[in-house]
């Protein structure tokens, strides 16, 4: 029955190191703000920000711009990249337009604070290895504002070779749950929808999007998704798993039925 699996990325295969101290459930105090502080220092070293006061203003502005664009992207389904948010924030503080190479470098600096704290969820690699051993195709479909960041983390954790294709919303311009995002993976495989599973932590992005296309939706619940309560009454996954071990157990009967 199951010939391919699409995985979400954040809170499905990876997460913030549980030992990371944080006052917030989204870890913004140890990821987003420190990243913006590193970004401001980097831009000052490159001569794009001058006084300390300008750097502090930029930090708040960039974080505000990122959140504004995140909400806009959720509504429209069109991804707004981290680079686009950076260019917008720089323009607002009056900095001359920066070239793409400088923006690439600056965004890489911004994400270092997050990358340093990301770990693979216990058992995630075993799940990928099990699927590969059965010959099931594996793809990744992530809503993220920078594809290079996701690829760096996947490579560091040893996950990147498992995925073909490896699709990030920042690179294709659309986000889950839009059908176009899923088709960026599905069109590479040309498999019947009922032979493909989608595994993710979001009822809205992953489960609802998969259900509309007829995929076998699996809700991964190890890390609670703050957006899920709004959809629990009207979005139902085909299966649910609270850990990688539970996910493997749920998939095993379907894998054994695969040709």
């Amino acid at each position: 029955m199951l010939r391919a699996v699409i995985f979400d990325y954040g809170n499905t295969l990876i997460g913030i190191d549980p030992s990371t101290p944080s006052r917030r459930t989204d870890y913004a105090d140890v990821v987003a703000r420190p990243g913006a502080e590193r970004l401001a220092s980097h831009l000052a070293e490159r001569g794009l920000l001058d006084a300390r006061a300008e750097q502090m203003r930029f930090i708040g502005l960039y974080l505000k711009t990122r959140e504004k664009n995140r909400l806009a992207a959720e509504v429209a389904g069109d991804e707004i990249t981290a680079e686009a948010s950076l260019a917008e924030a720089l323009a607002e503080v009056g900095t001359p337009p920066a070239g793409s190479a400088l923006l690439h470098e600056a965004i890489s600096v911004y994400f270092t604070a997050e990358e340093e704290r990301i770990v693979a969820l216990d058992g995630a690699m075993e799940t990928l290895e099990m699927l590969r051993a059965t010959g099931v195709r594996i793809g990744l479909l992530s809503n993220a504002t920078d594809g290079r960041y996701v690829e760096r983390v996947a490579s560091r954790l040893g996950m990147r070779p498992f995925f073909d294709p490896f699709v990030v919303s920042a690179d294709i311009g659309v986000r889950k749950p839009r059908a176009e995002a899923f088709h960026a993976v599905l069109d590479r495989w040309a498999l019947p929808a009922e032979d493909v599973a989608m595994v993710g932590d979001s009822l809205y992005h992953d489960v609802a999007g998969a259900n509309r296309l007829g995929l076998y939706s699996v809700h991964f619940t190890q890390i609670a998704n703050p957006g899920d309560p709004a959809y629990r009454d009207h979005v139902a996954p085909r299966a649910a798993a609270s850990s990688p071990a539970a996910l493997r157990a749920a998939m095993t009967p379907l894998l054994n039925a695969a040709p």
Side-chain angles (χ1 to χ4, degrees):
M1 293 172 58
L2 191 61
R3 298 168 63 188
V5 180
I6 306 171
F7 279 94
D8 174 47
Y9 165 74
N11 293 341
T12 300
L13 294 170
I14 62 92
I16 297 292
D17 188 335
S19 66
T20 300
S22 176
R23 299 183 301 276
R24 297 170 54 116
T25 56
D26 62 359
Y27 294 92
D29 54 339
V30 293
V31 171
R33 186 163 189 90
E37 290 169 352
R38 295 185 190 187
L39 174 59
S41 295
H42 175 80
L43 293 171
E45 291 172 1
R46 295 294 184 273
L48 294 177
L49 296 174
D50 294 326
R52 177 64 178 167
E54 186 177 43
Q55 293 180 47
M56 295 304 295
R57 178 177 173 236
F58 169 82
I59 290 168
L61 181 59
Y62 181 65
L63 293 174
K64 181 179 178 180
T65 302
R66 285 266 295 168
E67 180 61 12
K68 171 183 71 72
N69 287 343
R70 183 190 70 81
L71 294 173
E74 280 288 271
V75 171
D78 296 317
E79 188 61 270
I80 302 175
T81 66
E83 286 187 17
S85 294
L86 174 56
E88 182 179 340
L90 286 172
E92 190 159 341
V93 297
T95 300
S100 60
L102 189 149
L103 292 175
H104 288 352
E105 180 185 54
I107 289 302
S108 294
V109 171
Y110 169 73
F111 278 110
T112 57
E114 184 168 339
E115 291 180 45
E116 291 168 2
R117 291 166 173 80
I118 289 178
V119 297
L121 298 185
D122 287 343
M125 289 295 292
E126 288 86 342
T127 301
L128 295 174
E129 289 165 354
M130 179 195 78
L131 291 172
R132 183 166 64 182
T134 64
V136 168
R137 298 181 183 184
I138 309 171
L140 182 129
L141 180 58
S142 171
N143 283 351
T145 58
D146 187 68
R148 290 175 298 275
Y149 143 70
V150 178
E151 187 134 14
R152 285 194 303 272
V153 173
S155 295
R156 173 173 64 81
L157 297 177
M159 294 181 175
R160 180 62 183 89
F162 289 93
F163 302 113
D164 183 20
F166 188 95
V167 179
V168 179
S169 60
D171 298 328
I172 61 172
V174 293
R175 296 169 56 85
K176 297 173 291 184
R178 279 178 52 177
E180 301 99 305
F182 288 90
H183 277 294
V185 177
L186 296 173
D187 291 351
R188 289 278 300 275
W189 289 338
L191 294 172
E194 60 268 23
D195 290 355
V196 181
M198 174 71 215
V199 180
D201 69 300
S202 170
L203 285 174
Y204 173 63
H205 297 112
D206 302 309
V207 175
N211 286 351
R212 282 196 289 270
L213 292 171
L215 307 180
Y216 189 92
S217 57
V218 182
H219 190 205
F220 189 76
T221 62
Q222 179 170 328
I223 300 174
N225 188 301
D228 279 353
Y231 298 94
R232 285 202 180 104
D233 291 339
H234 55 279
V235 176
R238 294 282 300 278
S242 59
S243 69
L247 177 61
R248 293 194 295 274
M251 286 187 169
T252 295
L254 302 176
L255 296 172
N256 289 340

